[in-house]
Amino acid sequence: MAHHGNTPAAWTGVTIAMIGFVVGGVALMMTPVNMTVFWVAAVITVLALPVFAVMNKMGMGD
């Protein structure tokens, strides 16, 4: 645990989640609210966890 999140797996997971949150926020600010884009953003955000887990198992999280 010497890296404290400074690993490629952590950075990639956080970046993907942040992109999902930003896209979701933009979708909610559209007039009218674009729910299709919002749900795509939700899927992107949820995909951050398996991407992190796979990269961690590949040794990029140590």
Side-chain angles (χ1 to χ4, degrees), residues 6-62:
N6 291 325
T7 64
W11 278 97
T12 304
V14 169
T15 301
I16 292 170
M18 186 170 43
I19 289 168
F21 274 100
V22 169
V23 171
V26 169
L28 291 175
M29 290 187 283
M30 291 178 176
T31 305
V33 173
N34 192 333
M35 292 306 290
T36 303
V37 175
F38 173 79
W39 287 112
V40 168
V43 169
I44 291 170
T45 303
V46 170
L47 286 176
L49 185 59
V51 167
F52 167 75
V54 168
M55 288 182 73
N56 197 31
K57 294 261 186 205
M58 292 173 58
M60 295 182 198
D62 294 331

